Structures are given as C-alpha cells and as structure tokens.
Amino acid sequence: MSFSNFASSSLCLITFSLLLHTVFGAGPNFHFCSTPDNFTANGPYESNLNKLTSYLYYQSPRTGFGKGSRGHYPDQIYGLALCRGDVSTSDCETCVVEASSEIRRRCPYNKAAIIWYDNCLLKYSNNGFFGQIDNINKFYMWNVHVVSLPVPFNQKTKELLSQLATEAQATPKLFATGELELGNSTKLYGLVQCTQDLSSDVCKKCLDGIIGELPSCCDGKQGGRVVSGSCNFIYEIYPFVNA
C-alpha cells in the first residue's frame, strides 16, 4: 500500500502497513529540527534535555502522555511525549525510547525538535508551548489511490472525522476512533487525537483546523493523514466481510 508524504516542500514515496493497525518497528514518519538555535555540547541545556527525555520515557507509558520542563532561563527546556491512544504500555515505552534516541541523532544540537512515529510523537523546545496549537510543525500523508466517486466520499470522510473530533473533545485522552459503512463491502475507518497539554476546547479547534485541510491533503484519496505538533487525524478505506 503506497502513500505519499508532504511537508515543507519535500515530496517522497513511502510504504505503510494498515494505517489503523500498524506495528511498531519502522522508522519515524517525519521530523523537524525546529529552530536554527543550537546548544553547546555538554553544557547546561544538554544536561536539562537529557533529564527531560529521561523523565518523558519514564512518565509517558503509564498514561500515554507526559510533559515537563527542566532548568531555568536561559537553559530551560519544555517537552512532551504522546503515544497513540490505542497502543499498549510496552509499545508506548518502546516508541518513546526510540524517539528520544533518534531525534538526538537527527537534530543533535538543535534547541527545538519534533519527531513522529506511528505509535508516538516526541517534541521539545526552549520556548514554552504547552496549551498552544502548533501549526508550524505539520505534514501530510495520503494513499496514492483515488476513489471512484470523490465528492460524496470526501463528504463522508469529513463527517466521520468531525464526529470523532467531537467525541475526542469529551474524553480524557483527547482520542477517538470510529468507522462508517460505505457499501460494497467496504468501511471507512477514522482516528483523531490531540496532545493532552491542550484543553478540550483547544483540542477541538485544532482538529477542526486540520480536518479543514482535507481538500489540500487528501482530495478523493483512499486514505490520508494530517499530522501537526498538537493534533492529527488518520482515515482509511478497508474491505470487510459481513459476519
């Protein structure tokens, strides 16, 4: 199953297992070294970063989310880790540990960075960001195959994701999944999630914003994602057999 990926004018073709039933073990989906500001090796900022990432991969697996801050200005750092709402504690831990290591390899001295896997994201910055929608760090992915009737399909996709956004807003995890029968033995599956530093109202605003990007991302495509630093959605058509 082929998907295209878009972020910051980059275009590449990558292959994914089923969007809603992925198995951890592949590399990251995307990352950004989010600032040109660098820290000095073995300095106080790096020390605070090490303490923060250690805390996040200890804290996050227990609830699926962790956030924290270490140090004081000018070396203070803020960070969070979020695991997908339906992954196990062990898969969450594995993903956050891998993300902590991999982002340091890819952005070794950047004061701010973010990395996404299928099962988790990890983000840190020298600027406080808790409670704010991150629309700067964002990427799209889409299935290269197109449905035969894109207009009604687009409407059904938007309706499903909007319904899930309302459901996610009312849950502690800010996470929801659901499905919709399309006929002809196919179903449309959807998933939405926000980082838990957001309030429920801000989560809904974030999800509404990225759902509004469906025409830009995934017009008529059989599957797609819009993924930001604060919220994301996934949808996909699957064949199914009536029991």
Side-chain angles (χ1 to χ4, degrees):
M1 184 176 298
S2 296
F3 286 81
S4 291
N5 174 299
F6 171 81
S8 300
S9 301
S10 297
L11 185 65
C12 60
L13 192 65
I14 52 183
T15 301
F16 276 83
S17 58
L18 300 179
L19 280 175
L20 298 181
H21 304 281
T22 49
V23 177
F24 180 74
N29 293 337
F30 219 87
H31 78 282
F32 290 109
C33 304
S34 306
T35 175
D37 296 333
N38 291 335
F39 60 82
T40 303
N42 301 315
Y45 192 89
E46 183 172 28
S47 175
N48 291 331
L49 174 57
N50 291 336
K51 293 174 183 176
L52 177 63
T53 53
S54 295
Y55 169 77
L56 290 177
Y57 62 66
Y58 168 77
Q59 179 71 21
S60 303
R62 297 191 294 177
T63 63
F65 177 74
K67 70 180 177 73
S69 176
R70 292 293 183 271
H72 301 282
Y73 181 84
D75 297 305
Q76 188 168 9
I77 183 169
Y78 307 82
L80 63 78
L82 174 72
C83 290
R84 206 170 79 173
D86 55 358
V87 302
S88 67
T89 298
S90 60
D91 284 346
C92 177
E93 180 178 13
T94 299
C95 189
V96 175
V97 170
E98 172 68 18
S100 301
S101 173
E102 186 65 17
I103 195 62
R104 296 294 299 277
R105 187 181 72 81
R106 296 179 180 229
C107 306
Y109 300 113
N110 292 86
K111 286 189 173 183
I114 184 169
I115 190 166
W116 295 268
Y117 287 77
D118 278 335
N119 281 354
C120 71
L121 75 84
L122 178 78
K123 174 183 177 182
Y124 56 82
S125 175
N126 57 321
N127 295 312
F129 59 84
F130 299 147
Q132 304 171 26
I133 295 175
D134 178 2
N135 280 318
I136 297 175
N137 299 302
K138 183 185 295 181
F139 68 97
Y140 297 166
M141 297 175 65
W142 60 90
N143 190 309
V144 296
H145 300 291
V146 179
V147 298
S148 57
L149 297 172
V151 174
F153 175 76
N154 290 343
Q155 183 60 35
K156 288 181 182 293
T157 301
K158 184 176 181 180
E159 289 174 1
L160 175 61
L161 293 175
S162 295
Q163 174 187 333
L164 294 176
T166 300
E167 294 177 11
Q169 179 186 21
T171 67
K173 282 190 171 185
L174 303 179
F175 171 81
T177 62
E179 61 186 43
L180 180 68
E181 292 191 13
L182 298 177
N184 298 322
S185 299
T186 58
K187 280 187 177 182
L188 176 65
Y189 288 86
L191 177 155
V192 301
Q193 187 170 19
C194 296
T195 57
Q196 294 171 38
D197 60 309
L198 302 184
S199 68
S200 61
D201 288 343
V202 175
C203 171
K204 180 64 161 52
K205 181 179 179 181
C206 185
L207 289 170
D208 287 345
I210 62 171
I211 292 168
E213 296 182 38
L214 267 169
S216 301
C217 159
C218 318
D219 185 22
K221 303 297 192 298
Q222 290 186 10
R225 307 181 181 189
V226 175
V227 184
S228 79
S230 295
C231 64
N232 72 91
F233 71 71
I234 305 171
Y235 77 89
E236 174 96 69
I237 292 177
Y238 285 113
F240 78 101
V241 177
N242 286 322

